[in-house]
Amino acid sequence: MSYIDGFVIAAPTAKRQEVIDYAARFDPIFIEFGALRVVEAWGVDVPHGKLTDFYRAVDAKDDETVMFSWIEWPDKATRDAGMQKMMEDPRMGADNPLPFDGKRMIFGTFENALDLKA
């Protein structure tokens, strides 16, 4: 079963295209380093909860949209090696800053426990 990196991000709504363009430039590097799939999803119908929600998780402001993204890898070993290469890759340097506040991004890695397909 595959191994997943999951992310929730608060992205500036006014910079939607800039965020998507950034992902379009840099997400292929994950594929280059072994990822099977990268998905960037722009929030459309993301409800505000009474106790918790995606907005609170990333301290999203009124002028930000929540994004939900994931990277699918064939296994943990490929993921670990690929992420190490990403951290060392000069294309990911300070001259290419994130178009959102990375300090409020939440992320984690997950083992695929069930995978149903049509």
Side-chain angles (χ1 to χ4, degrees), residues 38-83:
V38 181
V39 176
E40 304 284 357
W42 190 265
V44 173
D45 185 11
V46 183
H48 289 274
K50 291 185 180 183
L51 296 178
T52 190
D53 58 32
F54 283 108
Y55 299 97
R56 288 184 186 110
V58 293
D59 193 26
K61 311 300 183 220
D62 290 339
D63 62 345
E64 294 178 319
T65 298
V66 174
M67 292 185 68
F68 178 65
S69 306
W70 67 93
I71 304 169
E72 182 180 352
W73 302 88
D75 51 54
K76 184 179 186 313
T78 303
R79 182 265 177 202
D80 291 348
M83 290 302 271

